[in-house]
Amino acid sequence: MSSSDRQRIERVPGSRRAKLTPAPGATAEPTPADDEVPDTPAEASGVSSSGPNDERLRRDVPPHY
């Protein structure tokens, strides 16, 4: 890998931060996801492993002090 194929650090005038140049082959546009990612492992496997208190635990919220 040559030094021209890598990201470089650039100074930002008037700022204490620096920024990186874009990675080789990267684009600025986001790409849409192919499939939606399931929220829980149970949804991913297709197995329902809910117990008797699961719905109550999802509804309960902690007290605000």
Side-chain angles (χ1 to χ4, degrees):
M1 181 182 286
S2 68
S3 63
S4 64
D5 293 344
R6 299 185 65 180
Q7 287 180 300
R8 292 184 314 279
I9 299 172
E10 295 180 347
R11 287 187 58 116
V12 177
S15 177
R16 294 176 55 178
R17 295 184 179 256
K19 68 175 187 173
L20 289 173
T21 58
T27 61
E29 301 117 22
T31 56
D34 292 335
D35 295 320
E36 291 195 23
V37 179
D39 292 335
T40 61
E43 290 176 9
S45 63
V47 177
S48 176
S49 61
S50 61
N53 294 328
D54 287 350
E55 186 60 36
R56 179 179 171 202
L57 290 172
R58 286 187 190 101
R59 284 185 282 124
D60 284 348
V61 293
H64 298 283
Y65 295 102

